[in-house]
Amino acid sequence: MTKAGILAGGLVFAGMMAQAQVQAPSVPVEAGVSAGSAVNLYLHPFLTPEELTTLRLVATNDQALSLFVTSRAGHAALAVSPQDGFVRNGSPVPSAVALGDLPDAAAARAAALAACDQARVGQEPCVVVLDVAPAP
C-alpha cells in the first residue's frame, strides 16, 4: 500500500471515530441512585469540565437533582444542544430541557429532545445527557 493510501485510510478512520464520539452513547457512562431514583449520565465530548461537574452533582445529589427534575413520579430526561451547551456563565442555558413525569424512558427522552430541539440556537440536534427512572 502506498503512503497516500495509508494516509487516506487513516483519515477515513479518524473521521469515523470523530463521528462516533459525536453520536449519543447508547448506554450510560455513569450511573447512580439518588433518593429512590435510578440516574444515568451520558457523557459527550462537547461537555465542558464545569458542565461535567454539574451533571455529576445532579446525578448523585438529591437536592441538585430536584432542581432539574421536580417530580419523581415517572421517568425524566435532560437534553442539551451540543452547540449551545448546558451551563454558560454559571447558569443552565435556555435550550437545556429537563422533562419528567413521563410513563417510560423512551417517552421522557423523546419529549426532552423535542423541547430542546425547539429551543436550541445551534444547528446540531440535541442529545440526552441524563435520564432518571424510579428505582426498582
Side-chain angles (χ1 to χ4, degrees):
M1 185 176 274
T2 67
K3 286 184 183 179
I6 292 171
L7 179 61
L11 290 173
V12 169
F13 179 73
M16 289 172 28
M17 292 302 293
Q19 180 63 27
Q21 289 179 341
V22 170
Q23 294 174 352
S26 58
V27 295
V29 175
E30 297 180 17
V33 176
S34 180
S37 297
V39 181
N40 292 314
L41 179 59
Y42 301 84
L43 303 181
H44 298 273
F46 69 84
L47 293 168
T48 67
E50 177 187 19
E51 291 169 332
L52 290 171
T53 299
T54 302
L55 286 168
R56 285 184 172 118
L57 178 65
V58 169
T60 58
N61 181 288
D62 189 49
Q63 287 181 320
L65 182 60
S66 67
L67 294 174
F68 293 94
V69 181
T70 56
S71 172
R72 310 275 176 75
H75 293 261
L78 170 62
V80 173
S81 163
Q83 291 168 316
D84 298 357
F86 173 49
V87 176
R88 295 295 181 264
N89 300 319
S91 298
V93 299
S95 59
V97 177
L99 295 175
D101 290 334
L102 290 142
D104 57 49
R109 293 174 69 84
L113 288 169
C116 177
D117 280 332
Q118 190 171 29
R120 70 182 154 84
V121 175
Q123 296 296 314
E124 293 180 40
C126 293
V127 296
V128 171
V129 294
L130 186 120
D131 62 33
V132 183

